[in-house]
């Protein structure tokens, strides 16, 4: 298949933009007409040396949203579930065993990942000491713990990586070991690759086939490694075999998997400020685009676009050809965390929501126009979470601050 490699260098100027491959450029100011979102509830901070807010996720308990986050209670590392409204539904200490650390200090855990696993929702994380721990999201009971055979602390991945219709959990160690297990904790595969792993593994689980080759390489587990010779990305299949390995032009800072009109891609935000997309079918580069900012954080994609954040800026980039569809600025030069997508208006047209390090929240529509804004009054290191807190059928925006305080916004 022919691969079109496009490098677009954008020079962003006050009042306009010039460059290669730039689509209709919508720039909309954040002014006084933007709706101030209402704070519908907030929790207290997480006591002790808990999480900096970046590890939290949303799950459900009997249909009600829960915010799950790492915490410390009475000197023990715990996972805490807070019901929308502020009540702690459950709190599970790690206890003894392979995930419990050295017995003196609470073990350090990765960020959490949650989703449907087997009969119900589960939450998974890894520990620095080398365990993959999976809890029932509804009540915090232990489902299983897996010894990874090496140090970790990398956020695991959940997805149907082998195409059997069921979700698997995959975790990596920093020294190059990868383990995938099923909903019962049984091993799907164990493998090792050369180099150290510094980024979380990425589940790629899109359906369909490549239009030209009819190959069904649309799912697997992407792993980024660092070696003396540089950095590589590999896509492992459901048995742990590498389908392809490529050397990206950028050093990965963040990454996400997304579907496009020409099949799924892996979008990589580079430390040099460039975004590169790699074709899932064969590892070939589709394009690389420079956004004149560094580093950049790649977030969620809606049909055909991926959303990227930098210093005071959010971009929508076309997944097919790398054209910038729109750019929005807010908060001066304050770094913007990874943007994610939610349907905050409830009209079936989800749009990106971004939160900057100073706690400023900005919700946008699909055209990049601001529709709501808010401020949590604290430092934030993560992107937004979404849950229908008010029960009106739309996504409310949840922001977790550096202290673990949860703030819920509704427009």
């Amino acid at each position: 298949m022919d691969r079109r490699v496009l490098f677009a260098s954008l020079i962003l100027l006050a009042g306009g933009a010039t460059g290669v491959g730039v689509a209709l450029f919508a720039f909309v100011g954040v002014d006084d007409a933007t709706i101030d979102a209402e704070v519908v509830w907030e929790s207290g901070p997480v006591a002790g040396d808990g999480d900096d807010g970046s590890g939290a996720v949303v799950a459900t308990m009997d249909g009600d949203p829960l915010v799950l986050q790492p915490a410390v209670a009475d000197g023990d590392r715990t996972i805490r579930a807070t019901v929308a409204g502020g009540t702690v539904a459950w709190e599970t200490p790690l206890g003894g065993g392979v995930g419990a650390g050295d017995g003196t200090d609470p073990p350090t855990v990765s960020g959490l990942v949650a989703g449907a696993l087997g009969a119900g929702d589960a939450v998974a994380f890894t520990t620095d000491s080398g365990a993959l721990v999976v809890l029932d999201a509804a009540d915090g009971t232990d489902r299983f713990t897996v010894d990874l055979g090496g140090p970790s602390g990398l956020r695991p991945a959940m997805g149907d990586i082998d195409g059997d219709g069921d979700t698997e959990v995959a975790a990596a160690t920093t020294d190059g070991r990868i383990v995938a297990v099923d909903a019962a904790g049984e091993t799907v595969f164990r493998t090792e690759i050369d180099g150290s792993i510094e980024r979380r593994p990425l589940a790629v689980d899109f359906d369909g086939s490549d239009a030209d080759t009819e190959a069904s390489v649309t799912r697997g587990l992407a792993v980024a490694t660092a070696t003396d010779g540089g950095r590589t990305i590999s896509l492992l299949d459901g048995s742990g075999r590498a389908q392809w390995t490529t050397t990206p032009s950028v050093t990965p800072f963040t990454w996400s998997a997304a579907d496009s009109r020409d099949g799924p891609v892996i979008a990589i935000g580079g430390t040099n400020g460039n975004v590169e997309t790699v074709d899932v079918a064969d590892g070939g580069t589709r394009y690389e685009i420079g956004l004149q900012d560094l580093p950049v954080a790649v977030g969620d994609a809606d049909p055909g676009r991926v959303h990227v954040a930098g210093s005071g800026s959010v971009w929508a980039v076309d997944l097919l050809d790398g054209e910038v569809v729109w750019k929005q600025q807010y908060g001066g030069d304050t770094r913007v965390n990874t943007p994610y997508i939610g349907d905050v208006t409830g009209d079936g047209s989800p749009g990106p929501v971004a939160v900057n390090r100073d706690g400023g929240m900005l919700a946008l529509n699909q055209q990049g126009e601001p529709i709501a804004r808010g401020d949590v009054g604290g430092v934030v290191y993560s992107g937004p979470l979404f849950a229908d807190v008010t029960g009106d059928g739309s996504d409310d925006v949840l922001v977790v601050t550096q202290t673990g305080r949860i703030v819920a916004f509704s427009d």
Side-chain angles (χ1 to χ4, degrees), residues 46-47 69-74 76-82 88-94 135 139-141:
V46 172
Q69 59 191 142
V72 173
D74 299 325
D76 292 327
R77 176 70 64 184
T78 70
I79 304 299
R80 176 182 298 176
T82 305
V88 175
W90 53 260
E91 189 162 15
T92 299
L94 256 60
L135 307 177
D139 58 14
T141 56

Side-chain angles (χ1 to χ4, degrees), residues 59 62 69 76 84 95 99 106 108 172 189 197 231 280 285 301 309-310 323 340 352 375 408:
D62 299 327
Q69 59 191 142
D76 292 327
T108 301
F189 69 77
I197 300 176
R231 300 184 182 269
V280 170
T285 295
E323 292 183 340
Y340 295 114
D375 195 325

Side-chain angles (χ1 to χ4, degrees), residues 1-396:
M1 175 191 295
D2 292 333
R3 300 288 172 205
R4 184 160 69 101
V5 179
L6 170 67
F7 183 87
S9 179
L10 304 182
I11 304 175
L12 305 178
L13 304 175
T18 61
V20 179
V22 182
L24 178 63
F25 199 90
F27 181 87
V28 183
V30 180
D31 55 29
D32 291 338
T34 305
I35 296 173
D36 288 328
E38 177 188 2
V39 175
V40 292
W41 69 271
E42 65 178 284
S43 72
V46 172
D49 182 19
D51 177 56
D52 66 1
S54 62
V57 293
V58 169
T60 60
M61 179 182 67
D62 299 327
D64 295 323
L66 294 174
V67 180
L68 312 179
Q69 59 191 142
V72 173
D74 299 325
D76 292 327
R77 176 70 64 184
T78 70
I79 304 299
R80 176 182 298 176
T82 305
V83 181
T87 302
V88 175
W90 53 260
E91 189 162 15
T92 299
L94 256 60
V98 69
D102 60 9
T104 58
D105 296 319
T108 301
V109 301
S110 71
L112 310 181
V113 62
L117 184 68
D121 281 6
V123 57
F125 56 93
T126 70
T127 68
D128 274 2
S129 58
L132 168 65
V133 182
V134 178
L135 307 177
D136 193 295
D139 58 14
T141 56
D142 180 63
R143 285 207 188 177
F144 56 82
T145 299
V146 177
D147 188 348
L148 299 176
S152 188
L154 301 171
R155 190 189 299 257
M158 295 178 69
D160 181 12
I161 59 178
D162 61 3
D164 66 353
D166 297 321
T167 298
E168 290 82 38
V169 184
T173 66
T174 56
D175 60 2
R177 307 166 198 259
I178 303 102
V179 180
V181 297
D182 62 17
E186 298 296 325
T187 301
V188 175
F189 69 77
R190 282 181 177 264
T191 191
E192 295 184 32
I193 56 178
D194 293 332
S196 61
I197 300 176
E198 302 171 349
R199 302 295 174 197
R200 64 184 177 94
L202 186 66
V204 181
D205 59 355
F206 299 100
D207 293 322
S209 61
D210 183 87
D212 290 345
T213 65
E214 297 300 325
S216 57
V217 185
T218 55
R219 64 179 68 246
L221 186 74
V223 181
T225 60
T227 64
D228 292 338
R231 300 184 182 269
T232 64
I233 292 176
S234 299
L235 184 74
L236 310 182
D237 65 13
S239 62
R241 292 190 298 266
Q243 296 300 289
W244 49 256
T245 298
T246 188
T247 301
S249 298
V250 304
T251 299
F253 176 66
T254 57
W255 62 349
S256 65
D259 208 357
S260 77
R261 300 185 298 276
D262 195 27
V265 297
I266 296 171
I268 309 165
T271 56
N272 64 349
N274 290 0
V275 175
E276 180 178 358
T277 56
V278 173
D279 202 303
V280 170
D282 59 9
T285 295
R286 283 201 184 171
Y287 60 78
E288 181 180 350
I289 178 172
L291 295 177
Q292 299 298 308
D293 202 352
L294 60 107
V296 288
V298 171
D300 277 351
D302 60 13
R305 302 174 185 176
V306 66
H307 299 94
V308 186
S311 292
S313 301
V314 181
W315 294 267
V317 177
D318 191 287
L319 283 167
L320 188 61
D321 54 20
E323 292 183 340
V324 172
V325 183
W326 53 256
K327 176 192 177 186
Q328 180 58 262
Q329 290 181 302
Y330 79 105
D333 293 329
T334 304
R335 175 147 299 281
V336 181
N337 301 313
T338 304
Y340 295 114
I341 291 175
D343 185 7
V344 298
T345 61
D347 63 358
S349 299
V353 178
V355 183
N356 67 21
R357 293 289 172 90
D358 286 343
M361 182 276 293
L362 185 67
L364 307 166
N365 62 20
Q366 293 183 354
Q367 290 71 48
E369 300 165 340
I371 56 178
R373 63 184 177 186
D375 195 325
V376 302
V379 177
V380 178
Y381 288 124
S382 62
L385 304 172
F386 301 98
D388 184 5
V389 173
T390 57
D392 63 358
S394 65
D395 286 331
D396 299 307

